[in-house]
Amino acid sequence: MSGKKAKEKEATISDLLIEERKFEVPDEFRKKANIKDKDIYKKAAANREKFWAGFAEELHWFKKWEKVLDWKPPHARWFVGGKLNVSYNCLDRHITTWRKNKAAIIWEGEPGDQRTLTYRDLYREVNKFANILKKLGVKKGDRVAIYLPMIPELVIAMLACARIGAIHSVVFGGFSAEALRDRINDARARVLITADGGYRRGSIIPLKHDADHALLETPSIQHVIIVKRGDFPLHVKEGRDHWWHYHMEEAESYCEPEEMDSEDILFTLYTSGTTGKPKGIIHTTGGYLTGVYATTNWVFDLKDDDVYWCMADIGWVTGHSYVVYGPLACGATVVMYEGAPDWPDRDRSWQIVEKYGVTIFYTAPTAIRAFMKWGTGWPAKRDLSSLRLLGTVGEPINPEAWMWYHKNIGQERCPIVDTWWQTETGMILITTLPGIDSTKPGFAGRPFPGIEADILTEEGVSIQKGGSYLALTQPWPAMLRGIYGDPERYVQQYWTKWDKKTYFPGDGAKRDKDGYFLLLGRVDDVLNVAGHRLGTMEVESALVDHPVVAEAAVVGIEHEIKGQVIAAFVTVKEGNTPGGELQDELKEHVVRKIGAIARPEKIIFSADLPKTRSGKIMRRLLRDIAESKVLGDTTTLADATTVEKLKKHYEEQES
Ligand code: PRX
């Protein structure tokens, strides 16, 4: 029997597949592609370790590894015994070549200010900042929290940590003070790097002000370094707070890179799971760098004269792997933009493409659906002829959005790579190779060479037809190595669905006769709101933290642009009156606890929640109610009348 949830999802998704179309790679693209050999999949599968070692050999190692892979399921070690430094590979390796004066980062702030840092510039800044961190007592293995807007200092700070072997934990600037506090405390970070503020849609996000709230309850933090982004008012605490620019003026210009073991931790990044508490995903050095280097090079067909722009915020894994580490390891020119795509106008993204001659553009389906809604007039105003490859990531892309992207942005000339992966996988795992594979709207593609994926039933039986659970059946270099501070949860969460050798990503999938995978979305209690991952339990915990809330159940409901939005069913404690004011208050409460990305779209008050006889909330029925669908099977309910009452009540509230 295949997964029930996967089957449900399959039904909705196949409705969306208006037609199964195939797009061949244009000849002009194919001729110049980095990878043209169709047998590469077979060759890689014949000797996976040799395949990955080939990429690792292109990097710089202080000491070569003794063994490519040590796999004691579910624990893998890659390039065992090898020593390297990630910042050395992203910087020093390039500045001894002609690339030294190549633009590494072309940055544009939301108000229109610009900065370009060559590899040489970036090298200098990273070395200086690494020395500042050292001076403040940061040592190899120490954790550094980073809470910055999308400015070059964010990249500099990450690479400086990598240079001295400190573990960075970047917290997305849109997370609230409380979310920042919890992440700092979980990592027991010694230093926080933040800014006076950042620009978003014409407003200022007061990061230091928010961080000050977090800092009231973060005993591990000894120093705070503040980047002066603007001239925004803030409080500076003597002795603890330091201005970035004061220190940089005096910092020494060279810092010896630390020789890191291939398996030393490079960073942790928090992501939502099925419990109320986000997990600190651990990524290490050698395997991670090899994985992101290989995929950036092959999936994006990256060449030295490309201008590469990934729209993701560095606060998410896409930014870590495909704004910072992958592209810089490849010596690419990376465009970075601070603000919103509709500021001051809805052609801001296309203006950036035109201005800098962007050739590779990588974004999320949510953004594409928003562009679609804004209309074709905006991209038509700009010259997009520099583009040669497009990418998408983060959620399933509906064929309509794919076609719109293909026609209006790619001008029917650019291949689209739909890339499936996760915070945990570190690198792209399922996609198409643009010089070889044709593309199909809605299908991500095949496992990257050297990656083994399957579709398994609940019992672990591989199926060719129909939807079920996606599974990864062999280890890969950039795979997570654990959950910070919680080794058991690592095993439990990812490696117990079938056997200890098979990774369960939590997604449903099906495949076609060509072996192309179509992703069906999450089959667990993880939501994907506008491409951002959130746990239902996380939002529920935020709601029940409010004094009047007795119980809360959160579901994701379909949304035209964001893919999913949050609907929360709430029961209030006796003596409280539910109403519009309380709805607003609860929404704000969630924003305060997590951040604006978690703001529920709908709050529905209910006297009771539908539960099974064992007390489990039946989210499926709640989803049916919130999406105004016919109710599914109610036979397992403890009290079948609850759900009918709730549905009626909901319809009254909505009308
Ligand atoms: O459900 C899948 C979806 O995003 C989840 C991972 O989220 P996160 O760790 O935040 O990383 C997002 C960026 C890599 C997956 O479990 N997802 C990601 N990419 C795709 C996708 N779903 C369908 N198609 C994709 N291309």
Coordinates of all heavy atoms in Angstrom, one line a residue, residues 55-120:
F55 N 35.3 15.4 -8.4 CA 35.0 16.9 -8.1 C 35.8 17.3 -6.9 O 36.3 18.5 -6.9 CB 33.5 17.0 -7.7 CG 32.6 16.9 -8.8 CD1 31.7 15.9 -9.0 CD2 32.5 18.0 -9.8 CE1 30.9 15.8 -10.1 CE2 31.7 17.9 -10.9 CZ 30.8 16.8 -11.0
A56 N 36.0 16.5 -5.9 CA 36.8 16.9 -4.7 C 38.2 17.2 -5.2 O 38.8 18.2 -4.6 CB 36.8 15.8 -3.7
E57 N 38.7 16.5 -6.2 CA 40.1 16.7 -6.6 C 40.2 18.1 -7.3 O 41.3 18.6 -7.3 CB 40.5 15.6 -7.6 CG 41.2 14.5 -6.9 CD 41.1 13.2 -7.6 OE1 40.9 13.2 -8.9 OE2 41.3 12.1 -7.0
E58 N 39.1 18.7 -7.7 CA 39.2 20.0 -8.3 C 39.4 21.1 -7.3 O 39.6 22.3 -7.6 CB 38.0 20.3 -9.2 CG 38.0 19.4 -10.5 CD 36.7 19.5 -11.3 OE1 36.0 20.5 -11.2 OE2 36.4 18.6 -12.0
L59 N 39.1 20.7 -6.0 CA 39.2 21.7 -4.9 C 40.7 21.7 -4.4 O 41.4 20.8 -4.7 CB 38.2 21.4 -3.8 CG 36.7 21.4 -4.3 CD1 35.8 20.9 -3.2 CD2 36.3 22.9 -4.6
H60 N 40.9 22.6 -3.4 CA 42.3 22.6 -2.9 C 42.2 21.9 -1.5 O 41.5 22.3 -0.6 CB 42.8 24.0 -2.7 CG 44.1 24.1 -2.1 ND1 44.3 24.1 -0.7 CD2 45.4 24.1 -2.6 CE1 45.6 24.2 -0.4 NE2 46.3 24.1 -1.5
W61 N 43.1 20.9 -1.3 CA 43.2 20.2 0.0 C 44.6 20.4 0.6 O 45.6 20.3 -0.2 CB 42.9 18.7 -0.2 CG 41.5 18.4 -0.7 CD1 41.1 18.6 -2.0 CD2 40.4 18.0 0.1 NE1 39.7 18.3 -2.0 CE2 39.3 17.9 -0.8 CE3 40.3 17.6 1.4 CZ2 38.1 17.4 -0.3 CZ3 39.0 17.1 1.9 CH2 37.9 17.1 1.0
F62 N 44.7 20.8 1.8 CA 46.0 20.9 2.5 C 46.6 19.4 2.6 O 47.8 19.2 2.5 CB 45.9 21.5 3.8 CG 45.4 22.9 3.8 CD1 44.2 23.3 4.5 CD2 46.0 23.9 3.1 CE1 43.7 24.6 4.5 CE2 45.5 25.2 3.0 CZ 44.4 25.5 3.7
K63 N 45.6 18.5 2.8 CA 46.1 17.1 2.9 C 45.0 16.3 2.2 O 43.8 16.5 2.5 CB 46.2 16.7 4.4 CG 46.6 15.3 4.6 CD 46.8 15.0 6.1 CE 47.0 13.5 6.3 NZ 45.7 12.8 6.4
K64 N 45.4 15.4 1.3 CA 44.3 14.6 0.6 C 43.7 13.6 1.6 O 44.3 13.1 2.5 CB 45.0 13.9 -0.6 CG 43.9 13.5 -1.6 CD 44.5 12.9 -2.8 CE 43.3 12.2 -3.5 NZ 43.7 11.6 -4.8
W65 N 42.5 13.2 1.3 CA 41.8 12.2 2.1 C 42.4 10.8 1.9 O 43.1 10.6 0.9 CB 40.3 12.2 1.6 CG 40.1 11.9 0.2 CD1 40.0 10.7 -0.4 CD2 40.1 12.9 -0.9 NE1 39.8 10.9 -1.8 CE2 39.9 12.2 -2.1 CE3 40.2 14.3 -0.9 CZ2 39.8 12.8 -3.4 CZ3 40.1 14.9 -2.2 CH2 39.9 14.2 -3.4
E66 N 42.1 10.0 2.9 CA 42.6 8.6 2.8 C 41.5 7.7 2.3 O 41.8 6.7 1.6 CB 43.0 8.1 4.2 CG 44.3 8.7 4.7 CD 44.2 9.2 6.1 OE1 43.4 8.6 6.9 OE2 45.0 10.1 6.5
K67 N 40.3 8.0 2.5 CA 39.2 7.2 2.1 C 38.0 8.1 1.6 O 37.7 9.1 2.3 CB 38.7 6.4 3.3 CG 37.9 5.2 3.0 CD 37.6 4.5 4.3 CE 36.7 3.3 4.0 NZ 36.0 2.8 5.1
V68 N 37.4 7.8 0.5 CA 36.3 8.7 0.0 C 35.1 8.7 0.9 O 34.6 9.7 1.3 CB 35.9 8.3 -1.5 CG1 34.7 9.2 -1.9 CG2 37.1 8.5 -2.4
L69 N 34.7 7.5 1.3 CA 33.4 7.4 2.1 C 33.6 6.3 3.1 O 34.0 5.2 2.9 CB 32.3 7.1 1.1 CG 30.9 6.7 1.8 CD1 30.3 7.9 2.5 CD2 29.9 6.2 0.7
D70 N 33.1 6.7 4.3 CA 33.0 5.7 5.4 C 31.5 5.8 5.8 O 31.0 6.7 6.4 CB 33.9 6.2 6.6 CG 33.7 5.3 7.8 OD1 33.5 4.1 7.6 OD2 33.8 5.8 8.9
W71 N 30.8 4.7 5.5 CA 29.3 4.7 5.6 C 28.9 3.6 6.6 O 29.0 2.4 6.4 CB 28.7 4.4 4.2 CG 27.2 4.3 4.1 CD1 26.6 3.4 3.3 CD2 26.2 5.1 4.6 NE1 25.2 3.6 3.3 CE2 25.0 4.6 4.2 CE3 26.2 6.2 5.5 CZ2 23.7 5.2 4.5 CZ3 25.0 6.8 5.9 CH2 23.8 6.3 5.4
K72 N 28.6 4.1 7.8 CA 28.1 3.3 8.9 C 26.7 3.7 9.1 O 26.4 4.6 10.0 CB 28.9 3.4 10.1 CG 30.3 2.8 10.0 CD 31.0 2.6 11.3 CE 32.4 2.1 11.1 NZ 33.4 3.1 10.5
P73 N 25.7 3.2 8.3 CA 24.4 3.8 8.4 C 23.8 4.0 9.8 O 24.0 3.1 10.6 CB 23.5 2.7 7.6 CG 24.5 2.0 6.8 CD 25.8 2.0 7.5
P74 N 23.2 5.1 10.0 CA 23.0 6.2 9.1 C 24.0 7.4 9.2 O 23.7 8.5 9.1 CB 21.6 6.8 9.6 CG 21.6 6.6 11.1 CD 22.5 5.4 11.3
H75 N 25.3 7.0 9.5 CA 26.3 8.0 9.7 C 27.3 7.9 8.6 O 27.9 6.8 8.4 CB 27.0 7.9 11.0 CG 26.0 8.0 12.2 ND1 25.5 9.2 12.6 CD2 25.4 7.1 13.0 CE1 24.6 9.1 13.6 NE2 24.6 7.8 13.8
A76 N 27.5 9.0 7.9 CA 28.5 9.0 6.8 C 29.6 10.0 7.1 O 29.4 11.0 7.7 CB 27.8 9.4 5.5
R77 N 30.8 9.6 6.6 CA 31.9 10.5 6.6 C 32.5 10.5 5.2 O 32.7 9.4 4.7 CB 33.0 10.1 7.7 CG 32.5 10.1 9.1 CD 33.6 10.0 10.1 NE 34.3 8.8 9.9 CZ 35.6 8.6 10.3 NH1 36.3 9.6 10.7 NH2 36.2 7.4 10.1
W78 N 32.7 11.7 4.7 CA 33.2 11.8 3.3 C 34.6 12.4 3.3 O 34.9 13.3 4.1 CB 32.3 12.7 2.5 CG 31.0 12.0 2.0 CD1 29.9 11.9 2.7 CD2 30.8 11.4 0.8 NE1 28.9 11.2 2.0 CE2 29.5 10.9 0.8 CE3 31.6 11.1 -0.3 CZ2 29.0 10.2 -0.3 CZ3 31.1 10.4 -1.4 CH2 29.8 9.9 -1.4
F79 N 35.4 11.9 2.4 CA 36.8 12.3 2.3 C 37.6 12.3 3.6 O 38.2 13.3 4.1 CB 36.8 13.7 1.6 CG 36.0 13.8 0.4 CD1 34.8 14.5 0.3 CD2 36.4 13.0 -0.8 CE1 34.0 14.5 -0.8 CE2 35.6 13.0 -1.9 CZ 34.4 13.7 -1.9
V80 N 37.5 11.1 4.1 CA 38.0 10.9 5.5 C 39.5 11.1 5.6 O 40.3 10.7 4.8 CB 37.7 9.4 5.9 CG1 38.2 9.1 7.3 CG2 36.3 9.0 5.7
G81 N 39.9 12.0 6.6 CA 41.3 12.3 6.8 C 41.7 13.5 6.0 O 42.8 14.0 6.2
G82 N 40.9 14.0 5.1 CA 41.3 15.1 4.3 C 41.3 16.4 5.1 O 40.5 16.5 6.0
K83 N 42.1 17.4 4.7 CA 42.2 18.7 5.4 C 42.0 19.8 4.3 O 42.7 19.7 3.3 CB 43.5 18.9 6.1 CG 43.9 17.8 7.0 CD 43.3 18.1 8.4 CE 43.7 16.9 9.3 NZ 42.8 16.6 10.4
L84 N 41.1 20.7 4.6 CA 40.9 21.8 3.7 C 40.3 23.0 4.4 O 39.9 22.9 5.6 CB 40.0 21.4 2.5 CG 38.4 21.2 2.8 CD1 37.7 21.2 1.5 CD2 38.1 20.0 3.7
N85 N 40.2 24.1 3.7 CA 39.5 25.2 4.3 C 38.5 25.8 3.2 O 38.9 26.0 2.1 CB 40.5 26.3 4.7 CG 39.8 27.5 5.4 OD1 39.2 28.3 4.7 ND2 39.9 27.6 6.7
V86 N 37.3 26.0 3.6 CA 36.3 26.5 2.6 C 36.6 27.9 2.1 O 36.5 28.2 0.9 CB 34.9 26.4 3.2 CG1 33.9 27.1 2.4 CG2 34.5 24.9 3.4
S87 N 37.0 28.8 3.0 CA 37.3 30.2 2.6 C 38.5 30.2 1.6 O 38.6 30.9 0.6 CB 37.5 31.1 3.7 OG 38.8 31.4 4.0
Y88 N 39.5 29.3 1.9 CA 40.6 29.2 1.0 C 40.1 28.7 -0.4 O 40.6 29.3 -1.4 CB 41.6 28.1 1.5 CG 42.9 28.1 0.8 CD1 44.0 28.7 1.2 CD2 43.0 27.4 -0.4 CE1 45.2 28.7 0.5 CE2 44.2 27.4 -1.2 CZ 45.3 28.1 -0.7 OH 46.5 28.0 -1.4
N89 N 39.2 27.8 -0.4 CA 38.7 27.3 -1.7 C 37.8 28.4 -2.4 O 37.8 28.4 -3.7 CB 37.9 26.0 -1.5 CG 38.8 24.8 -1.6 OD1 39.3 24.5 -2.6 ND2 39.1 24.3 -0.4
C90 N 37.2 29.2 -1.7 CA 36.3 30.2 -2.3 C 37.1 31.5 -2.7 O 36.6 32.3 -3.4 CB 35.2 30.6 -1.4 SG 34.0 29.2 -1.2
L91 N 38.3 31.7 -2.1 CA 39.0 33.0 -2.3 C 40.4 32.7 -2.7 O 40.8 33.1 -3.8 CB 39.0 33.8 -1.0 CG 37.6 34.1 -0.5 CD1 37.6 34.7 0.9 CD2 36.9 35.1 -1.4
D92 N 41.3 32.2 -1.8 CA 42.7 32.1 -2.1 C 43.0 31.4 -3.4 O 43.9 31.7 -4.2 CB 43.4 31.4 -1.0 CG 43.2 32.0 0.4 OD1 42.0 32.3 0.7 OD2 44.1 32.1 1.2
R93 N 42.2 30.4 -3.7 CA 42.3 29.5 -4.9 C 42.1 30.4 -6.2 O 42.7 30.1 -7.2 CB 41.3 28.4 -4.9 CG 41.6 27.2 -5.7 CD 40.8 26.0 -5.3 NE 39.4 26.3 -5.3 CZ 38.6 26.0 -6.3 NH1 39.0 25.5 -7.4 NH2 37.3 26.3 -6.2
H94 N 41.3 31.5 -6.1 CA 41.0 32.3 -7.2 C 42.0 33.5 -7.4 O 42.3 33.9 -8.5 CB 39.6 32.8 -7.2 CG 38.6 31.8 -7.1 ND1 38.6 30.6 -7.9 CD2 37.5 31.6 -6.2 CE1 37.6 29.9 -7.5 NE2 36.9 30.4 -6.5
I95 N 42.5 34.0 -6.2 CA 43.3 35.2 -6.3 C 44.7 35.0 -6.9 O 45.4 35.9 -7.1 CB 43.3 36.1 -5.1 CG1 43.9 35.3 -3.9 CG2 41.9 36.6 -4.7 CD1 44.5 36.2 -2.9
T96 N 45.1 33.7 -7.0 CA 46.4 33.4 -7.6 C 46.2 33.2 -9.1 O 47.1 32.9 -9.8 CB 47.0 32.1 -7.0 OG1 46.0 31.1 -7.1 CG2 47.4 32.3 -5.5
T97 N 45.0 33.4 -9.6 CA 44.7 33.3 -11.0 C 44.2 34.6 -11.6 O 44.1 35.6 -10.8 CB 43.6 32.2 -11.3 OG1 42.4 32.8 -10.9 CG2 43.9 31.0 -10.5
W98 N 43.9 34.6 -12.9 CA 43.4 35.9 -13.5 C 42.1 36.3 -12.8 O 41.7 37.5 -12.9 CB 43.1 35.6 -15.0 CG 42.0 34.6 -15.2 CD1 42.1 33.3 -15.3 CD2 40.6 35.0 -15.2 NE1 40.8 32.7 -15.4 CE2 39.9 33.7 -15.4 CE3 39.8 36.1 -15.2 CZ2 38.5 33.7 -15.5 CZ3 38.4 36.1 -15.3 CH2 37.8 34.8 -15.4
R99 N 41.5 35.5 -12.1 CA 40.2 35.8 -11.4 C 40.4 36.9 -10.3 O 39.4 37.3 -9.8 CB 39.5 34.6 -10.8 CG 38.9 33.7 -11.8 CD 37.9 32.7 -11.2 NE 37.5 31.7 -12.1 CZ 37.8 30.4 -12.0 NH1 38.5 30.0 -11.0 NH2 37.3 29.6 -12.9
K100 N 41.6 37.2 -10.0 CA 41.8 38.1 -8.8 C 41.0 39.4 -8.9 O 40.5 39.9 -8.0 CB 43.2 38.3 -8.4 CG 44.0 39.0 -9.4 CD 45.4 39.3 -8.8 CE 46.4 40.0 -9.8 NZ 47.0 39.0 -10.7
N101 N 40.9 39.9 -10.1 CA 40.1 41.1 -10.3 C 38.8 40.9 -10.9 O 38.1 41.9 -11.4 CB 40.9 42.2 -11.1 CG 42.0 42.7 -10.2 OD1 41.8 43.0 -9.0 ND2 43.2 42.9 -10.7
K102 N 38.3 39.7 -10.9 CA 37.0 39.4 -11.4 C 36.0 39.8 -10.3 O 36.3 39.6 -9.1 CB 36.9 37.9 -11.7 CG 35.5 37.4 -12.2 CD 35.5 35.9 -12.5 CE 34.1 35.5 -12.9 NZ 33.9 34.1 -13.2
A103 N 34.8 40.2 -10.7 CA 33.8 40.6 -9.7 C 33.3 39.3 -9.1 O 32.9 38.4 -9.8 CB 32.6 41.3 -10.4
A104 N 33.4 39.2 -7.8 CA 32.9 38.1 -7.0 C 31.4 38.4 -6.7 O 30.5 37.6 -6.9 CB 33.7 37.8 -5.8
I105 N 31.2 39.6 -6.1 CA 29.8 40.0 -5.7 C 29.5 41.4 -6.4 O 30.2 42.3 -6.2 CB 29.7 40.2 -4.2 CG1 30.0 38.8 -3.5 CG2 28.4 40.7 -3.8 CD1 30.0 38.9 -2.0
I106 N 28.4 41.4 -7.1 CA 27.8 42.7 -7.5 C 26.6 42.8 -6.7 O 25.6 42.1 -6.8 CB 27.4 42.6 -9.0 CG1 28.7 42.3 -9.9 CG2 26.8 43.9 -9.4 CD1 28.4 42.2 -11.4
W107 N 26.6 43.9 -5.9 CA 25.6 44.0 -4.9 C 24.8 45.3 -5.2 O 25.3 46.3 -5.6 CB 26.2 44.1 -3.5 CG 25.1 44.4 -2.4 CD1 24.3 43.5 -1.8 CD2 24.8 45.7 -1.9 NE1 23.5 44.2 -0.9 CE2 23.8 45.5 -0.9 CE3 25.3 47.0 -2.1 CZ2 23.3 46.6 -0.2 CZ3 24.8 48.0 -1.3 CH2 23.8 47.8 -0.4
E108 N 23.4 45.2 -5.0 CA 22.6 46.4 -5.1 C 21.7 46.4 -3.9 O 21.0 45.4 -3.5 CB 21.8 46.3 -6.4 CG 21.1 47.6 -6.6 CD 20.5 47.7 -8.0 OE1 21.3 47.8 -9.0 OE2 19.3 47.8 -8.1
G109 N 21.7 47.6 -3.2 CA 20.8 47.8 -2.1 C 19.4 48.2 -2.6 O 19.3 48.6 -3.7
E110 N 18.4 48.0 -1.7 CA 17.1 48.4 -2.2 C 17.0 49.8 -2.6 O 16.3 50.1 -3.6 CB 16.0 48.0 -1.1 CG 14.7 48.0 -1.7 CD 13.5 47.7 -0.7 OE1 13.3 48.6 0.1 OE2 12.9 46.7 -0.8
P111 N 17.6 50.8 -1.8 CA 17.5 52.2 -2.3 C 18.2 52.5 -3.6 O 18.1 53.6 -4.1 CB 18.1 53.0 -1.1 CG 18.2 52.0 0.0 CD 18.3 50.7 -0.5
G112 N 19.0 51.5 -4.1 CA 19.7 51.7 -5.4 C 21.2 51.9 -5.2 O 21.9 52.1 -6.2
D113 N 21.7 51.9 -4.0 CA 23.2 51.9 -3.8 C 23.8 50.7 -4.3 O 23.2 49.6 -4.4 CB 23.5 52.2 -2.4 CG 22.7 51.5 -1.3 OD1 21.6 50.9 -1.7 OD2 23.1 51.4 -0.2
Q114 N 25.1 50.8 -4.8 CA 25.7 49.6 -5.4 C 27.1 49.4 -4.9 O 27.8 50.4 -4.6 CB 25.9 49.8 -6.9 CG 24.6 49.9 -7.7 CD 24.8 50.4 -9.1 OE1 25.9 50.3 -9.7 NE2 23.8 51.0 -9.7
R115 N 27.6 48.2 -4.9 CA 29.0 47.9 -4.5 C 29.4 46.7 -5.3 O 28.6 45.7 -5.5 CB 29.1 47.5 -3.0 CG 29.1 48.7 -2.1 CD 28.8 48.3 -0.7 NE 29.9 47.5 -0.1 CZ 29.8 46.9 1.1 NH1 28.7 47.0 1.8 NH2 30.8 46.3 1.6
T116 N 30.6 46.7 -5.8 CA 31.2 45.5 -6.5 C 32.4 45.1 -5.7 O 33.3 45.9 -5.5 CB 31.5 45.8 -7.9 OG1 30.3 46.2 -8.6 CG2 32.0 44.6 -8.6
L117 N 32.5 43.8 -5.3 CA 33.7 43.3 -4.7 C 34.3 42.3 -5.6 O 33.7 41.3 -6.0 CB 33.4 42.7 -3.4 CG 33.1 43.6 -2.2 CD1 31.6 43.9 -2.1 CD2 33.6 43.0 -0.9
T118 N 35.6 42.5 -6.0 CA 36.3 41.6 -6.8 C 36.7 40.4 -5.8 O 36.6 40.6 -4.6 CB 37.6 42.2 -7.4 OG1 38.4 42.5 -6.3 CG2 37.2 43.4 -8.2
Y119 N 37.2 39.3 -6.4 CA 37.7 38.3 -5.5 C 38.8 38.8 -4.6 O 38.9 38.4 -3.4 CB 38.2 37.1 -6.4 CG 37.0 36.1 -6.6 CD1 36.2 36.3 -7.8 CD2 36.6 35.2 -5.7 CE1 35.1 35.5 -8.0 CE2 35.5 34.4 -5.9 CZ 34.7 34.5 -7.0 OH 33.6 33.8 -7.2
R120 N 39.6 39.7 -5.1 CA 40.7 40.2 -4.3 C 40.1 41.1 -3.1 O 40.6 41.0 -2.0 CB 41.6 41.1 -5.2 CG 42.7 41.8 -4.7 CD 44.0 41.0 -4.6 NE 44.7 41.5 -3.4 CZ 45.7 40.8 -2.9 NH1 46.1 39.7 -3.3 NH2 46.3 41.3 -1.8

